[in-house]
Structure formats: structure tokens, C-alpha cells
Amino acid sequence: RFKLSVGVDQAWGAIFDDAADLLYREIDYRCEAAHAREFAENFRDAPWVTTPEIFDDLSTEHVLTMAYVPGVSLKDVAAIEADPSLDAKSLARNLARCYLLQFCRHGFFNTDPHAGNLAADAAIPKGRLIVYDFGQAARLDENERAGALMLLEALLDEDAELCVDAFSTMGVLKEGYDREAIVATVADNFRAGRVATGKGAAR
């Protein structure tokens, strides 16, 4: 079960059930193998990102066997900057592109993108991203994908009205919410510089 019932109206019991589902999914390597295969398929035409190949005939619920794909951890900035075959800015752009594609095109994404699960190697000029560990993954439905794109546009333009439209599209606002109050709060955050945006970066 990939699609969880998380939302603003979710009861505590349902949250507990989903947490249990996530825990048991992460310790079942068959789930992780399926997640990794789907990610690999989604990015099969993207030479700038990879994940280790899974060897199904050597894997079970308790054992996961995959190709050895070493790399420089993305948290090791000094090592990346010292390696002439790696370019930090290119890797950062590709990491952003990777997650935007997961969110907005494929609707399937790795939900555990900490630096320990991300690395780079010199398989292509400027470096190739390596994504490890698909024990946690989730799906977004069509409205959530559309809302994510809308939210990105709203953040870049510092458009508080569009931000709230995006929240509504994604289903993260309770029924009967005070639209004017939320718009005012978002606008205040933009004015105060609490949210990093495209306009803010240009100032």
C-alpha cells in the first residue's frame, strides 16, 4: 500500500495505523526492491541519476542484494569541491530536478532523501546522482501533483493567493477554512522574508 490516508482530518487511530504500515513496509525488503525498480524505470532515460540495480534472484523479505555503486556523499561538500570530476551546482540542480520529476510527473517519490541516502559519482561529466534506500516511498495523486506545481509557481512569484489555491488543490486545508486569514499569513511571510523565493533571491 503506497497511498497513505494522511490529511488534515485524519484521526489519531488512522495515523497510528499508517505509522505501523510504514514501519513494517521498511523492514520488508521486497517492498524496497519494488520501490527501487519503479524509480529506476521512471528515470531510465536520465543518465544524470541512478540507483543500484536489484538482484531479485538473490533477494528475499529479509535480504536485499544490489549492485555495488559507490559514490561521494552529498553531505561531504569538501570532497565534492575537491573532486574535479564533480560539480556541486550541477549536482544541486539535478537533485532539485529529480525531486520535481518525482513529485510532479511520476507521482512516486523517495520519502527519505537525507544526505546519507544521496551520493555522486563521475559516471558522466560534472557528476551523476546516486539515490540509495527505498525503504520509504509514497505516491501523490493527480490533485497533489498539480498542487505541487502550483505551489512552486506561487513561491517563485510570491503569490499568496495562488499559494492558498495550491494548498486547497492538494487537500491540506480543512473544509470551511478562513481563506482571507491564510492568504494574509502567507503574504506576511513573504514580506518578512521568512520564505525563500525566486524574487527574494533576486533582491
Side-chain angles (χ1 to χ4, degrees):
R1 187 158 64 99
F2 297 100
K3 177 64 181 173
L4 301 179
S5 56
V6 175
V8 292
D9 293 316
Q10 188 179 23
W12 283 108
I15 293 174
F16 177 86
D17 290 341
D18 278 341
D21 182 79
L22 286 169
L23 175 62
Y24 284 107
R25 184 195 307 167
E26 184 157 18
I27 60 177
D28 184 344
Y29 286 132
R30 294 171 301 184
C31 290
E32 181 167 351
H35 296 162
R37 282 194 299 271
E38 182 162 357
F39 178 89
E41 175 63 20
N42 288 342
F43 287 91
R44 67 185 183 280
D45 296 323
W48 46 269
V49 63
T50 191
T51 193
E53 179 185 357
I54 303 296
F55 298 110
D56 291 317
D57 57 334
L58 299 174
S59 299
T60 68
E61 178 183 355
H62 304 294
V63 176
L64 182 62
T65 306
M66 63 184 74
Y68 178 59
V69 185
V72 178
S73 172
L74 293 195
K75 66 182 178 182
D76 195 344
V77 178
I80 291 173
E81 292 179 343
D83 190 332
S85 64
L86 302 178
D87 181 85
K89 289 184 178 180
S90 176
L91 291 169
R93 283 193 296 269
N94 282 336
L95 180 60
R97 177 164 56 154
C98 179
Y99 265 86
L100 285 172
L101 287 170
Q102 289 178 77
F103 290 148
C104 302
R105 175 179 294 176
H106 304 301
F108 172 79
F109 65 101
N110 180 315
T111 61
D112 196 18
H114 62 78
N117 288 342
L118 299 166
D121 65 15
I124 64 170
K126 298 186 178 182
R128 177 182 66 170
L129 287 173
I130 308 168
V131 183
Y132 305 112
D133 191 352
F134 282 85
Q136 296 287 353
R139 294 192 184 280
L140 298 175
D141 63 27
E142 185 176 348
N143 285 339
E144 289 164 337
R145 294 199 300 272
L149 274 174
M150 193 185 303
L151 182 60
L152 176 62
E153 179 183 352
L155 291 173
L156 290 173
D157 293 339
E158 293 188 3
D159 187 332
E161 293 278 356
L162 187 59
C163 266
V164 178
D165 288 341
F167 297 153
S168 179
T169 298
M170 289 188 288
V172 299
L173 297 174
K174 284 189 174 182
E175 186 176 351
Y177 66 90
D178 186 337
R179 180 182 175 85
E180 290 186 6
I182 297 176
V183 168
T185 299
V186 174
D188 180 64
N189 281 307
F190 283 141
R191 284 192 297 270
R194 299 188 189 101
V195 180
T197 68
K199 285 185 178 180
R203 284 199 284 263

